Amino acid sequence: MAIDFSFPEEIEHLRVKVREFMEQVVRPAEEEIDANEDDRSVLVKQVIAMRKAAHEQGLWLPHMPTEWGGMGLGHVAMASVSAEAAKTRFGPFALNAQAPDEGNMHTLLHWATDAQKQKYLKPLCEGRARSCFAMTEPDVAGSDPTLIQTHAVEMDDHWLINGHKWFISGANGAQFAILIARTEDDPEIPQAANSAFIVDIPSEGWTVERDIQTMSGGHNHCEIRITDLKVPKENMLGGPGQGHLLGQARLGPARLAHCMRWIGQAETALNLTIDRAMKRFAHGSMLAEKQGIQWMIADSTMELYQSKLMVLHAAYKIDNGHDFKSEVSMAKHFVANALNRIIDRAIQVHGALGYSTDTPLAQMATQARWARFADGADEVHQWRIAMRSIEAYSKTGSVSGAAGDLPL
Ligand SMILES: Cc1cc2nc3c(=O)[nH]c(=O)nc-3n(C[C@H](O)[C@H](O)[C@H](O)COP(=O)(O)OP(=O)(O)OC[C@H]3O[C@@H](n4cnc5c(N)ncnc54)[C@H](O)[C@@H]3O)c2cc1C
C-alpha cells in the first residue's frame, strides 16, 4: 500500500519545532505588542526580535529553495508549518511566509528574469522588502479578470499605465507591486489581454488614496490611483498577454497556502469551543455534557478533519507535478466555509463572551468572512468544480476523475 499519512520524521520534527517557536517566541511577543498597542516602537522591536529568532532557529523562509535562503519545503511540508504558524497572529510574518509576499516570491521565482530576481526577489527573501499584488478594481468584477480596465500603453522606452485598483493588501510599506494591466486590444482569447508589471514604490503616478476600513478595521488593504505611471520596459514580468496565466499560476498555490493558515485558525477556534464547554455550567451540567453542544463539537471536528485531508491531498498533487486545479478549488471552497462555520459555533458556545473582544474569536470571525469571496468567490469555484465534473462524466462515464481522482 502506497498511502501513508504519517509525515517523514524530519517534517514531524519541524512541525513540533514550529509549534514550540510559536509558543515560546511569537506568543510572548504578541502579548507585549498588545499590551503596548499605542507604541509602534514596541511592535517594530518585537517583529525584529521574532524574525531574528526564526533565522537563528532555522525556521526562516520555509517555502523558498535553499539557494534563496529558504528551507526548500514542498507543499505538503508547508501545510504542517503554515497550520502551526497560523495559530498565532504574527507567526507567518515571523517566518517571512506571509501573504501576499509568499505568493509574490513564488511568482518571481518562476516568472522573473535573473536581473528582476536580484533586484526584487532577493530583498524579499532576506526580509528587507515587502510587496503587494495589484489586480482587483472597484469598477469591474474582480472575479472576472478579463474585465480589467487598468491599461498599459507601450511607449519608446517604457509602458505608460493608467487605472484604479483597490483592496491591495500590504500596499502601504511595500517596496514594489506586481501590477496586472490590460495591454492587448485584440487578444486571441479574452484571458490573454493582460500583462504583469513590477512597479517600484514609490513611483510618480502610483498613489495610495486610502487604507480601506473593513468590518474588522484597517489592515492595509489599499485603494490605489494610477495616473500616467511610467514603468521601464524591462519591468514587464513574463511576456505580453501572460498576466492571466501568471495570476492563475500564482493563485493556485497561494489559495492552498491560505487554506493551510485557515486550518490553524479553525483548530484554534475548536480548541476554544471545547475548553469553554468543559468549564461552563448551565441547567444542571457542563455545556460539554449537553448533546446539542456535542453535535456542534462533532460537526466542527469532522470539518476540520475534512479540511486537513483536502489540503494534504491538494498539496501532494502539487508536489508530485499532477494537475491540481480541481483539488485546490475544492479545498479553497470547503476550508473557507468550514472555517466560518467552526468559528461561528465557537462564538455560539461562548455566548456573550464570544461576541466580545475578550477572546480572539470576534477578530477571527470578521477576518474569516473574506475567505469565502477573495481569491476566487465560492460561486466561481462551484461553477468550475461543476464544469470539471460534467466534463469528466461526459468523457469517461464517471465523475471520479474530477472528485480527487482517487483510487476508490
Ligand atoms: C481582505 C481582502 C484582501 C484582498 N487582497 C487583495 C490583493 O492583495 N490584491 C488584489 O488584487 N485583490 C485583493 N482582494 C480582492 C479580492 O481578490 C476580490 O474581492 C475577489 O477577487 C472578488 O472580486 P470582487 O470583490 O470585485 O467581487 P465580484 O467579482 O464583484 O463578485 C461579487 C460576488 O458575485 C458573485 N459572483 C461573481 N462571479 C460569479 C459567477 N460567475 N457565478 C455566480 N456568482 C458570481 C459571488 O457571490 C461574488 O462574491 C482582497 C479582498 C479582501 C476582502
Side-chain angles (χ1 to χ4, degrees):
M1 284 291 289
I3 297 173
D4 181 357
F5 284 98
S6 60
F7 279 174
E9 206 177 316
E10 66 274 14
I11 301 300
E12 182 53 20
H13 175 73
L14 177 63
R15 190 175 73 84
V16 174
K17 195 170 164 184
V18 174
R19 175 174 289 193
E20 285 170 2
F21 181 81
M22 296 303 145
E23 286 306 322
Q24 291 162 13
V25 177
V26 176
R27 234 179 256 290
E30 284 183 350
E31 282 163 18
E32 193 67 23
I33 291 166
D34 289 345
N36 298 278
E37 58 183 356
D38 297 329
D39 185 352
R40 199 177 147 73
S41 71
V42 175
L43 170 79
V44 173
K45 196 174 132 215
Q46 292 299 334
V47 165
I48 292 171
M50 281 187 269
R51 289 190 144 199
K52 187 164 174 278
H55 258 299
E56 285 165 1
Q57 298 194 24
L59 296 176
W60 184 251
L61 212 59
H63 56 288
M64 288 299 280
T66 47
E67 60 266 33
W68 286 96
M71 296 166 66
L73 299 184
H75 290 81
V76 171
M78 265 312 284
S80 68
V81 169
S82 293
E84 289 299 340
K87 289 175 185 167
T88 60
R89 271 193 348 265
F90 282 86
F93 195 77
L95 310 184
N96 198 11
Q98 66 286 348
D101 295 318
E102 183 191 23
N104 286 347
M105 286 185 221
H106 282 304
T107 306
L108 291 170
L109 185 66
H110 292 290
W111 293 82
T113 62
D114 286 344
Q116 288 170 340
K117 283 180 188 170
Q118 284 307 315
K119 187 167 176 194
Y120 299 103
L121 179 57
K122 195 162 182 275
L124 215 49
C125 292
E126 291 171 353
R128 289 188 289 114
R130 284 192 283 129
S131 62
C132 59
F133 186 80
M135 183 154 94
T136 307
E137 303 184 353
D139 300 328
V140 288
S143 304
D144 184 355
T146 66
L147 303 175
I148 283 176
Q149 292 179 341
T150 295
H151 62 278
V153 179
E154 194 168 9
M155 310 301 269
D156 288 342
D157 64 345
H158 63 270
W159 289 88
L160 189 67
I161 308 183
N162 282 280
H164 192 185
K165 299 283 178 184
W166 80 340
F167 273 92
I168 307 310
S169 304
N172 271 325
Q175 276 69 44
F176 69 91
I178 296 177
L179 170 70
I180 305 294
R182 191 178 179 90
T183 52
E184 314 301 305
D185 286 335
D186 194 15
E188 268 181 30
I189 50 167
Q191 285 81 358
N194 303 326
S195 303
F197 299 90
I198 306 176
V199 179
D200 288 302
I201 301 175
S203 274
E204 201 178 324
W206 172 277
T207 310
V208 175
E209 289 200 322
R210 62 175 174 141
D211 177 356
I212 300 166
Q213 293 302 299
T214 71
M215 61 165 75
S216 72
H219 296 287
N220 202 2
H221 305 299
C222 299
E223 183 166 351
I224 315 283
R225 185 68 67 173
I226 301 166
T227 314
D228 291 337
L229 171 72
K230 288 181 183 171
V231 174
K233 286 237 167 114
E234 65 268 21
N235 275 30
M236 181 179 268
L237 184 59
Q242 290 193 327
H244 185 77
L245 216 57
L246 179 143
Q248 288 305 306
R250 176 185 189 280
L251 277 174
R255 282 176 180 138
L256 199 65
H258 275 316
C259 292
M260 295 168 188
R261 293 187 279 264
W262 295 338
I263 282 173
Q265 292 276 297
E267 191 161 311
T268 300
L270 181 52
N271 285 339
L272 289 171
T273 308
I274 296 171
D275 194 62
R276 182 67 176 173
M278 288 171 64
K279 290 178 181 155
R280 194 68 161 173
F281 181 87
H283 303 289
S285 64
M286 305 308 285
L287 293 184
E289 295 171 70
K290 298 184 190 302
Q291 201 174 37
I293 302 295
Q294 290 170 355
W295 285 344
M296 283 197 252
I297 291 171
D299 286 346
S300 292
T301 305
M302 289 187 286
E303 287 178 359
L304 180 61
Y305 175 47
Q306 286 165 286
S307 299
K308 288 182 178 183
L309 286 178
M310 290 176 91
V311 167
L312 283 176
H313 186 227
Y316 161 88
K317 287 209 136 187
I318 300 179
D319 279 353
N320 286 280
H322 300 166
D323 183 0
F324 57 81
K325 281 198 283 300
S326 284
E327 287 71 21
V328 168
S329 220
M330 290 189 283
K332 197 274 170 179
H333 181 285
F334 186 85
V335 182
N337 282 272
L339 173 69
N340 276 276
R341 289 191 295 266
I342 291 171
I343 294 172
D344 188 66
R345 290 184 198 113
I347 291 173
Q348 187 69 14
V349 170
H350 279 74
L353 175 63
Y355 194 66
S356 78
T357 54
D358 290 357
T359 80
L361 290 168
Q363 175 74 5
M364 283 162 70
T366 49
Q367 280 287 323
R369 187 59 188 84
W370 63 256
R372 289 191 48 222
F373 60 82
D375 281 0
D378 279 359
E379 294 78 6
V380 177
H381 284 294
Q382 284 168 298
W383 165 38
R384 297 289 187 206
I385 293 163
M387 292 312 291
R388 290 192 196 103
S389 298
I390 293 166
E391 191 188 344
Y393 177 78
S394 306
K395 281 188 179 157
T396 67
S398 166
V399 73
S400 180
D405 203 16
L406 292 160
L408 289 177

